[in-house]
């Protein structure tokens, strides 16, 4: 990860833009018209609003690890974008517990997770009754599952 300047995005931002462009192109080819919403957990969503897919990149770094991060990371990202609380799993629990009313049957939930969190996030999802939990590694680590 590198810092970005006003004229040139850092590698992670560039990767995110490329990923977004690729997903957008695939959706167009499939003749799907996605609705993109941004929310702090579920605070910006209306009751009864439902989705086929939910994508989240929650803060997932343990609080005690943050002081040890590379300076580029600590100075580039706001603390709220990094701090996953004591065990780094706080937001996964919150989303797992709260997402079901917002998801259609068969919906897919994607998470970016830390390199060492696959088992723990899978257990959280299993405990909340999610099925078909799958770990997919694409430069970053994501968890995908289907709601039945």
């Amino acid at each position: 990860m590198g810092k970005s300047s006003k004229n040139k995005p850092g590698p992670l931002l560039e990767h995110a833009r490329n990923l977004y462009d690729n997903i957008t192109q695939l959706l167009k080819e499939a003749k799907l018209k996605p609705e993109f919403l941004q929310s702090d957990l579920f605070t910006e969503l209306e009751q009864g609003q439902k989705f086929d897919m939910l994508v989240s990149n929650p803060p997932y770094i343990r609080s005690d690890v943050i002081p040890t991060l590379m300076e580029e990371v600590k100075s580039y990202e706001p603390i709220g974008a990094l701090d996953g609380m004591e065990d780094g799993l706080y937001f996964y629990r919150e989303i797992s517990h709260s997402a079901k009313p917002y998801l259609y049957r068969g919906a897919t939930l994607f998470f970016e997770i830390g390199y060492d969190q696959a088992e723990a996030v899978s257990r959280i999802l299993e405990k909340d009754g999610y099925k078909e939990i799958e770990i997919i590694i694409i430069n970053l680590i994501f968890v995908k599952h289907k709601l039945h």
Side-chain angles (χ1 to χ4, degrees):
M1 176 182 224
K3 282 187 176 180
S4 56
S5 70
K6 290 182 181 178
N7 299 325
K8 185 176 179 186
L12 187 57
L13 181 58
E14 190 61 35
H15 175 74
R17 285 182 182 160
N18 290 336
L19 186 59
Y20 174 81
D21 290 343
N22 290 337
I23 290 170
T24 302
Q25 184 60 37
L26 289 171
L27 291 169
K28 283 181 187 176
E29 289 171 11
K31 295 185 174 30
L32 298 174
K33 295 182 180 175
E35 177 182 2
F36 293 98
L37 301 173
Q38 182 177 344
S39 180
D40 183 2
L41 292 173
F42 299 95
T43 59
E44 302 299 319
L45 304 181
E46 296 174 19
Q47 189 173 9
Q49 196 170 10
K50 290 193 177 271
F51 302 92
D52 295 304
M53 180 186 301
L54 190 147
V55 179
S56 180
N57 179 12
Y60 56 81
I61 300 171
R62 291 189 337 256
S63 298
D64 65 330
V65 172
I66 291 174
T68 69
L69 295 174
M70 296 182 309
E71 197 56 44
E72 294 84 18
V73 174
K74 290 189 291 188
S75 62
Y76 179 76
E77 295 286 348
I79 191 74
L82 300 172
D83 194 350
M85 307 298 174
E86 184 177 341
D87 62 359
L89 301 171
Y90 172 82
F91 291 99
Y92 300 107
R93 283 190 291 275
E94 289 295 311
I95 294 168
S96 181
H97 296 329
S98 304
K100 284 185 181 181
Y102 297 99
L103 298 173
Y104 287 115
R105 182 178 175 88
T108 304
L109 174 61
F110 291 92
F111 286 130
E112 178 179 342
I113 63 174
Y115 73 94
D116 60 349
Q117 294 175 321
E119 269 189 54
V121 173
S122 293
R123 280 194 306 271
I124 290 167
L125 292 166
E126 287 170 357
K127 182 179 174 188
D128 286 332
Y130 294 93
K131 307 288 183 207
E132 295 184 44
I133 298 167
E134 181 180 351
I135 306 301
I136 302 170
I137 300 173
I138 309 174
N139 290 340
L140 301 170
I141 301 174
F142 293 88
V143 173
K144 172 189 172 190
H145 84 279
K146 288 206 172 244
L147 176 64
H148 290 282

mmCIF file of all heavy atoms in Angstrom, residues 63-99:
data_model
loop_
_atom_site.group_PDB
_atom_site.id
_atom_site.type_symbol
_atom_site.label_atom_id
_atom_site.label_comp_id
_atom_site.label_asym_id
_atom_site.label_seq_id
_atom_site.Cartn_x
_atom_site.Cartn_y
_atom_site.Cartn_z
ATOM 1 N N SER A 63 -7.486 -3.406 17.890
ATOM 2 C CA SER A 63 -7.073 -2.113 18.454
ATOM 3 C C SER A 63 -5.614 -2.104 18.886
ATOM 4 O O SER A 63 -4.907 -1.118 18.680
ATOM 5 C CB SER A 63 -7.960 -1.745 19.652
ATOM 6 O OG SER A 63 -9.292 -1.610 19.247
ATOM 7 N N ASP A 64 -5.142 -3.217 19.481
ATOM 8 C CA ASP A 64 -3.765 -3.251 19.979
ATOM 9 C C ASP A 64 -2.724 -3.348 18.863
ATOM 10 O O ASP A 64 -1.544 -3.126 19.093
ATOM 11 C CB ASP A 64 -3.577 -4.387 20.988
ATOM 12 C CG ASP A 64 -3.740 -5.775 20.383
ATOM 13 O OD1 ASP A 64 -4.506 -5.926 19.402
ATOM 14 O OD2 ASP A 64 -3.108 -6.720 20.888
ATOM 15 N N VAL A 65 -3.161 -3.647 17.636
ATOM 16 C CA VAL A 65 -2.239 -3.767 16.502
ATOM 17 C C VAL A 65 -2.055 -2.414 15.801
ATOM 18 O O VAL A 65 -1.011 -2.169 15.188
ATOM 19 C CB VAL A 65 -2.740 -4.843 15.508
ATOM 20 C CG1 VAL A 65 -1.925 -4.853 14.225
ATOM 21 C CG2 VAL A 65 -2.732 -6.215 16.169
ATOM 22 N N ILE A 66 -3.020 -1.551 15.901
ATOM 23 C CA ILE A 66 -2.980 -0.283 15.170
ATOM 24 C C ILE A 66 -1.691 0.508 15.412
ATOM 25 O O ILE A 66 -1.090 0.997 14.457
ATOM 26 C CB ILE A 66 -4.252 0.549 15.438
ATOM 27 C CG1 ILE A 66 -5.429 -0.170 14.763
ATOM 28 C CG2 ILE A 66 -4.108 1.972 14.930
ATOM 29 C CD1 ILE A 66 -6.772 0.413 15.030
ATOM 30 N N PRO A 67 -1.198 0.627 16.657
ATOM 31 C CA PRO A 67 0.054 1.377 16.845
ATOM 32 C C PRO A 67 1.261 0.765 16.131
ATOM 33 O O PRO A 67 2.243 1.451 15.885
ATOM 34 C CB PRO A 67 0.272 1.354 18.363
ATOM 35 C CG PRO A 67 -1.061 1.074 18.953
ATOM 36 C CD PRO A 67 -1.790 0.233 17.938
ATOM 37 N N THR A 68 1.180 -0.513 15.759
ATOM 38 C CA THR A 68 2.315 -1.189 15.113
ATOM 39 C C THR A 68 2.246 -1.146 13.588
ATOM 40 O O THR A 68 3.160 -1.643 12.927
ATOM 41 C CB THR A 68 2.390 -2.658 15.554
ATOM 42 O OG1 THR A 68 1.280 -3.385 15.011
ATOM 43 C CG2 THR A 68 2.400 -2.792 17.070
ATOM 44 N N LEU A 69 1.185 -0.579 13.034
ATOM 45 C CA LEU A 69 1.042 -0.526 11.575
ATOM 46 C C LEU A 69 2.086 0.387 10.959
ATOM 47 O O LEU A 69 2.601 1.299 11.612
ATOM 48 C CB LEU A 69 -0.350 -0.019 11.198
ATOM 49 C CG LEU A 69 -1.526 -0.901 11.578
ATOM 50 C CD1 LEU A 69 -2.836 -0.183 11.271
ATOM 51 C CD2 LEU A 69 -1.460 -2.239 10.842
ATOM 52 N N MET A 70 2.351 0.162 9.675
ATOM 53 C CA MET A 70 3.262 1.040 8.952
ATOM 54 C C MET A 70 2.729 2.468 9.028
ATOM 55 O O MET A 70 1.519 2.692 9.002
ATOM 56 C CB MET A 70 3.366 0.623 7.481
ATOM 57 C CG MET A 70 3.963 -0.738 7.253
ATOM 58 S SD MET A 70 4.115 -1.180 5.483
ATOM 59 C CE MET A 70 2.491 -0.862 4.868
ATOM 60 N N GLU A 71 3.625 3.403 9.110
ATOM 61 C CA GLU A 71 3.242 4.813 9.213
ATOM 62 C C GLU A 71 2.366 5.236 8.034
ATOM 63 O O GLU A 71 1.431 6.025 8.205
ATOM 64 C CB GLU A 71 4.498 5.698 9.304
ATOM 65 C CG GLU A 71 4.222 7.081 9.806
ATOM 66 C CD GLU A 71 3.530 7.123 11.170
ATOM 67 O OE1 GLU A 71 3.920 6.368 12.082
ATOM 68 O OE2 GLU A 71 2.564 7.910 11.308
ATOM 69 N N GLU A 72 2.636 4.694 6.840
ATOM 70 C CA GLU A 72 1.841 5.034 5.661
ATOM 71 C C GLU A 72 0.369 4.675 5.857
ATOM 72 O O GLU A 72 -0.516 5.370 5.393
ATOM 73 C CB GLU A 72 2.361 4.319 4.407
ATOM 74 C CG GLU A 72 3.728 4.749 3.959
ATOM 75 C CD GLU A 72 4.846 4.009 4.700
ATOM 76 O OE1 GLU A 72 4.610 2.941 5.301
ATOM 77 O OE2 GLU A 72 5.967 4.526 4.684
ATOM 78 N N VAL A 73 0.133 3.563 6.532
ATOM 79 C CA VAL A 73 -1.247 3.122 6.777
ATOM 80 C C VAL A 73 -1.884 4.010 7.845
ATOM 81 O O VAL A 73 -2.993 4.505 7.662
ATOM 82 C CB VAL A 73 -1.284 1.639 7.208
ATOM 83 C CG1 VAL A 73 -2.690 1.217 7.594
ATOM 84 C CG2 VAL A 73 -0.732 0.755 6.107
ATOM 85 N N LYS A 74 -1.169 4.209 8.938
ATOM 86 C CA LYS A 74 -1.734 5.003 10.046
ATOM 87 C C LYS A 74 -2.010 6.445 9.647
ATOM 88 O O LYS A 74 -2.974 7.042 10.097
ATOM 89 C CB LYS A 74 -0.789 4.984 11.251
ATOM 90 C CG LYS A 74 -0.708 3.650 11.934
ATOM 91 C CD LYS A 74 0.052 3.720 13.232
ATOM 92 C CE LYS A 74 1.516 3.976 13.004
ATOM 93 N NZ LYS A 74 2.323 3.869 14.223
ATOM 94 N N SER A 75 -1.175 7.016 8.811
ATOM 95 C CA SER A 75 -1.368 8.414 8.440
ATOM 96 C C SER A 75 -2.304 8.578 7.249
ATOM 97 O O SER A 75 -2.830 9.659 7.022
ATOM 98 C CB SER A 75 -0.026 9.083 8.139
ATOM 99 O OG SER A 75 0.602 8.459 7.044
ATOM 100 N N TYR A 76 -2.559 7.512 6.497
ATOM 101 C CA TYR A 76 -3.404 7.590 5.308
ATOM 102 C C TYR A 76 -4.866 7.350 5.651
ATOM 103 O O TYR A 76 -5.746 8.007 5.135
ATOM 104 C CB TYR A 76 -2.919 6.563 4.280
ATOM 105 C CG TYR A 76 -3.733 6.549 3.013
ATOM 106 C CD1 TYR A 76 -3.584 7.551 2.059
ATOM 107 C CD2 TYR A 76 -4.656 5.535 2.773
ATOM 108 C CE1 TYR A 76 -4.330 7.539 0.891
ATOM 109 C CE2 TYR A 76 -5.393 5.522 1.601
ATOM 110 C CZ TYR A 76 -5.227 6.525 0.678
ATOM 111 O OH TYR A 76 -5.966 6.509 -0.474
ATOM 112 N N GLU A 77 -5.136 6.379 6.514
ATOM 113 C CA GLU A 77 -6.499 5.990 6.852
ATOM 114 C C GLU A 77 -6.938 6.597 8.186
ATOM 115 O O GLU A 77 -6.172 6.590 9.137
ATOM 116 C CB GLU A 77 -6.598 4.459 6.971
ATOM 117 C CG GLU A 77 -6.361 3.721 5.692
ATOM 118 C CD GLU A 77 -7.528 3.831 4.718
ATOM 119 O OE1 GLU A 77 -8.612 4.295 5.112
ATOM 120 O OE2 GLU A 77 -7.328 3.458 3.557
ATOM 121 N N PRO A 78 -8.183 7.072 8.264
ATOM 122 C CA PRO A 78 -8.691 7.513 9.565
ATOM 123 C C PRO A 78 -8.810 6.314 10.502
ATOM 124 O O PRO A 78 -9.062 5.193 10.051
ATOM 125 C CB PRO A 78 -10.058 8.110 9.253
ATOM 126 C CG PRO A 78 -10.377 7.750 7.854
ATOM 127 C CD PRO A 78 -9.142 7.244 7.192
ATOM 128 N N ILE A 79 -8.631 6.529 11.787
ATOM 129 C CA ILE A 79 -8.655 5.438 12.765
ATOM 130 C C ILE A 79 -9.959 4.643 12.684
ATOM 131 O O ILE A 79 -9.967 3.428 12.824
ATOM 132 C CB ILE A 79 -8.387 5.959 14.195
ATOM 133 C CG1 ILE A 79 -8.130 4.799 15.174
ATOM 134 C CG2 ILE A 79 -9.535 6.799 14.698
ATOM 135 C CD1 ILE A 79 -6.807 4.162 15.017
ATOM 136 N N GLY A 80 -11.061 5.312 12.407
ATOM 137 C CA GLY A 80 -12.352 4.638 12.306
ATOM 138 C C GLY A 80 -12.440 3.660 11.147
ATOM 139 O O GLY A 80 -13.267 2.753 11.147
ATOM 140 N N ALA A 81 -11.599 3.823 10.142
ATOM 141 C CA ALA A 81 -11.577 2.911 9.005
ATOM 142 C C ALA A 81 -10.700 1.688 9.280
ATOM 143 O O ALA A 81 -10.716 0.729 8.513
ATOM 144 C CB ALA A 81 -11.067 3.630 7.759
ATOM 145 N N LEU A 82 -9.954 1.716 10.361
ATOM 146 C CA LEU A 82 -9.027 0.634 10.688
ATOM 147 C C LEU A 82 -9.453 -0.197 11.894
ATOM 148 O O LEU A 82 -9.295 -1.413 11.904
ATOM 149 C CB LEU A 82 -7.639 1.221 10.984
ATOM 150 C CG LEU A 82 -6.962 2.016 9.877
ATOM 151 C CD1 LEU A 82 -5.706 2.682 10.417
ATOM 152 C CD2 LEU A 82 -6.648 1.127 8.693
ATOM 153 N N ASP A 83 -9.972 0.460 12.919
ATOM 154 C CA ASP A 83 -10.148 -0.157 14.230
ATOM 155 C C ASP A 83 -11.368 -1.073 14.302
ATOM 156 O O ASP A 83 -12.511 -0.616 14.361
ATOM 157 C CB ASP A 83 -10.254 0.929 15.301
ATOM 158 C CG ASP A 83 -10.107 0.387 16.707
ATOM 159 O OD1 ASP A 83 -10.113 -0.847 16.891
ATOM 160 O OD2 ASP A 83 -9.982 1.207 17.632
ATOM 161 N N GLY A 84 -11.103 -2.380 14.309
ATOM 162 C CA GLY A 84 -12.140 -3.394 14.445
ATOM 163 C C GLY A 84 -12.391 -3.770 15.894
ATOM 164 O O GLY A 84 -12.943 -4.825 16.171
ATOM 165 N N MET A 85 -11.961 -2.931 16.786
ATOM 166 C CA MET A 85 -12.121 -3.085 18.240
ATOM 167 C C MET A 85 -11.186 -4.174 18.772
ATOM 168 O O MET A 85 -10.254 -4.562 18.117
ATOM 169 C CB MET A 85 -13.573 -3.329 18.639
ATOM 170 C CG MET A 85 -14.540 -2.297 18.102
ATOM 171 S SD MET A 85 -14.160 -0.649 18.735
ATOM 172 C CE MET A 85 -15.319 0.331 17.820
ATOM 173 N N GLU A 86 -11.471 -4.626 19.983
ATOM 174 C CA GLU A 86 -10.541 -5.474 20.726
ATOM 175 C C GLU A 86 -10.003 -6.663 19.926
ATOM 176 O O GLU A 86 -8.806 -6.896 19.875
ATOM 177 C CB GLU A 86 -11.202 -5.985 22.011
ATOM 178 C CG GLU A 86 -10.271 -6.794 22.884
ATOM 179 C CD GLU A 86 -10.923 -7.229 24.185
ATOM 180 O OE1 GLU A 86 -11.937 -6.628 24.579
ATOM 181 O OE2 GLU A 86 -10.401 -8.162 24.801
ATOM 182 N N ASP A 87 -10.891 -7.430 19.280
ATOM 183 C CA ASP A 87 -10.439 -8.629 18.568
ATOM 184 C C ASP A 87 -10.467 -8.472 17.049
ATOM 185 O O ASP A 87 -10.189 -9.415 16.321
ATOM 186 C CB ASP A 87 -11.258 -9.852 18.982
ATOM 187 C CG ASP A 87 -12.731 -9.725 18.648
ATOM 188 O OD1 ASP A 87 -13.149 -8.665 18.110
ATOM 189 O OD2 ASP A 87 -13.481 -10.677 18.928
ATOM 190 N N GLY A 88 -10.825 -7.295 16.560
ATOM 191 C CA GLY A 88 -10.893 -7.046 15.118
ATOM 192 C C GLY A 88 -12.150 -7.579 14.457
ATOM 193 O O GLY A 88 -12.330 -7.451 13.254
ATOM 194 N N LEU A 89 -13.033 -8.174 15.234
ATOM 195 C CA LEU A 89 -14.208 -8.843 14.671
ATOM 196 C C LEU A 89 -15.526 -8.146 15.001
ATOM 197 O O LEU A 89 -16.597 -8.621 14.619
ATOM 198 C CB LEU A 89 -14.265 -10.292 15.179
ATOM 199 C CG LEU A 89 -13.050 -11.142 14.847
ATOM 200 C CD1 LEU A 89 -13.107 -12.474 15.585
ATOM 201 C CD2 LEU A 89 -12.936 -11.350 13.342
ATOM 202 N N TYR A 90 -15.464 -7.029 15.685
ATOM 203 C CA TYR A 90 -16.675 -6.334 16.136
ATOM 204 C C TYR A 90 -17.664 -6.094 15.002
ATOM 205 O O TYR A 90 -18.854 -6.413 15.110
ATOM 206 C CB TYR A 90 -16.299 -4.997 16.791
ATOM 207 C CG TYR A 90 -17.492 -4.138 17.103
ATOM 208 C CD1 TYR A 90 -18.232 -4.358 18.255
ATOM 209 C CD2 TYR A 90 -17.893 -3.122 16.240
ATOM 210 C CE1 TYR A 90 -19.346 -3.583 18.542
ATOM 211 C CE2 TYR A 90 -19.001 -2.339 16.517
ATOM 212 C CZ TYR A 90 -19.720 -2.577 17.668
ATOM 213 O OH TYR A 90 -20.823 -1.808 17.942
ATOM 214 N N PHE A 91 -17.208 -5.542 13.895
ATOM 215 C CA PHE A 91 -18.125 -5.171 12.816
ATOM 216 C C PHE A 91 -18.676 -6.394 12.077
ATOM 217 O O PHE A 91 -19.799 -6.358 11.585
ATOM 218 C CB PHE A 91 -17.454 -4.184 11.858
ATOM 219 C CG PHE A 91 -17.243 -2.846 12.513
ATOM 220 C CD1 PHE A 91 -16.009 -2.512 13.040
ATOM 221 C CD2 PHE A 91 -18.281 -1.940 12.629
ATOM 222 C CE1 PHE A 91 -15.817 -1.290 13.666
ATOM 223 C CE2 PHE A 91 -18.098 -0.709 13.259
ATOM 224 C CZ PHE A 91 -16.863 -0.392 13.780
ATOM 225 N N TYR A 92 -17.913 -7.478 12.032
ATOM 226 C CA TYR A 92 -18.440 -8.705 11.431
ATOM 227 C C TYR A 92 -19.605 -9.233 12.263
ATOM 228 O O TYR A 92 -20.613 -9.681 11.712
ATOM 229 C CB TYR A 92 -17.348 -9.772 11.300
ATOM 230 C CG TYR A 92 -16.212 -9.303 10.438
ATOM 231 C CD1 TYR A 92 -14.985 -8.970 10.986
ATOM 232 C CD2 TYR A 92 -16.381 -9.157 9.066
ATOM 233 C CE1 TYR A 92 -13.953 -8.519 10.203
ATOM 234 C CE2 TYR A 92 -15.355 -8.703 8.263
ATOM 235 C CZ TYR A 92 -14.139 -8.381 8.845
ATOM 236 O OH TYR A 92 -13.129 -7.917 8.047
ATOM 237 N N ARG A 93 -19.460 -9.186 13.584
ATOM 238 C CA ARG A 93 -20.563 -9.621 14.452
ATOM 239 C C ARG A 93 -21.778 -8.722 14.256
ATOM 240 O O ARG A 93 -22.907 -9.204 14.131
ATOM 241 C CB ARG A 93 -20.119 -9.626 15.920
ATOM 242 C CG ARG A 93 -19.253 -10.812 16.289
ATOM 243 C CD ARG A 93 -19.042 -10.919 17.789
ATOM 244 N NE ARG A 93 -18.209 -9.848 18.292
ATOM 245 C CZ ARG A 93 -16.866 -9.869 18.302
ATOM 246 N NH1 ARG A 93 -16.221 -10.930 17.850
ATOM 247 N NH2 ARG A 93 -16.188 -8.852 18.766
ATOM 248 N N GLU A 94 -21.553 -7.415 14.237
ATOM 249 C CA GLU A 94 -22.666 -6.469 14.070
ATOM 250 C C GLU A 94 -23.388 -6.693 12.743
ATOM 251 O O GLU A 94 -24.615 -6.715 12.691
ATOM 252 C CB GLU A 94 -22.155 -5.025 14.136
ATOM 253 C CG GLU A 94 -21.713 -4.591 15.514
ATOM 254 C CD GLU A 94 -22.858 -4.564 16.508
ATOM 255 O OE1 GLU A 94 -23.919 -3.983 16.196
ATOM 256 O OE2 GLU A 94 -22.693 -5.132 17.606
ATOM 257 N N ILE A 95 -22.639 -6.835 11.671
ATOM 258 C CA ILE A 95 -23.250 -7.031 10.354
ATOM 259 C C ILE A 95 -23.947 -8.390 10.295
ATOM 260 O O ILE A 95 -25.095 -8.494 9.842
ATOM 261 C CB ILE A 95 -22.201 -6.887 9.239
ATOM 262 C CG1 ILE A 95 -21.690 -5.436 9.192
ATOM 263 C CG2 ILE A 95 -22.782 -7.304 7.885
ATOM 264 C CD1 ILE A 95 -20.457 -5.229 8.347
ATOM 265 N N SER A 96 -23.292 -9.429 10.763
ATOM 266 C CA SER A 96 -23.870 -10.770 10.738
ATOM 267 C C SER A 96 -25.183 -10.808 11.510
ATOM 268 O O SER A 96 -26.177 -11.382 11.036
ATOM 269 C CB SER A 96 -22.874 -11.769 11.320
ATOM 270 O OG SER A 96 -23.402 -13.072 11.289
ATOM 271 N N HIS A 97 -25.219 -10.196 12.681
ATOM 272 C CA HIS A 97 -26.424 -10.182 13.518
ATOM 273 C C HIS A 97 -27.546 -9.363 12.888
ATOM 274 O O HIS A 97 -28.715 -9.666 13.073
ATOM 275 C CB HIS A 97 -26.136 -9.599 14.899
ATOM 276 C CG HIS A 97 -25.180 -10.384 15.732
ATOM 277 N ND1 HIS A 97 -25.033 -11.750 15.671
ATOM 278 C CD2 HIS A 97 -24.299 -9.981 16.677
ATOM 279 C CE1 HIS A 97 -24.109 -12.148 16.531
ATOM 280 N NE2 HIS A 97 -23.641 -11.102 17.143
ATOM 281 N N SER A 98 -27.195 -8.314 12.153
ATOM 282 C CA SER A 98 -28.194 -7.334 11.702
ATOM 283 C C SER A 98 -28.583 -7.429 10.231
ATOM 284 O O SER A 98 -29.570 -6.816 9.816
ATOM 285 C CB SER A 98 -27.667 -5.918 11.960
ATOM 286 O OG SER A 98 -27.344 -5.742 13.321
ATOM 287 N N ALA A 99 -27.846 -8.154 9.413
ATOM 288 C CA ALA A 99 -28.036 -8.104 7.958
ATOM 289 C C ALA A 99 -29.271 -8.830 7.448
ATOM 290 O O ALA A 99 -29.872 -8.412 6.454
ATOM 291 C CB ALA A 99 -26.802 -8.660 7.250
#
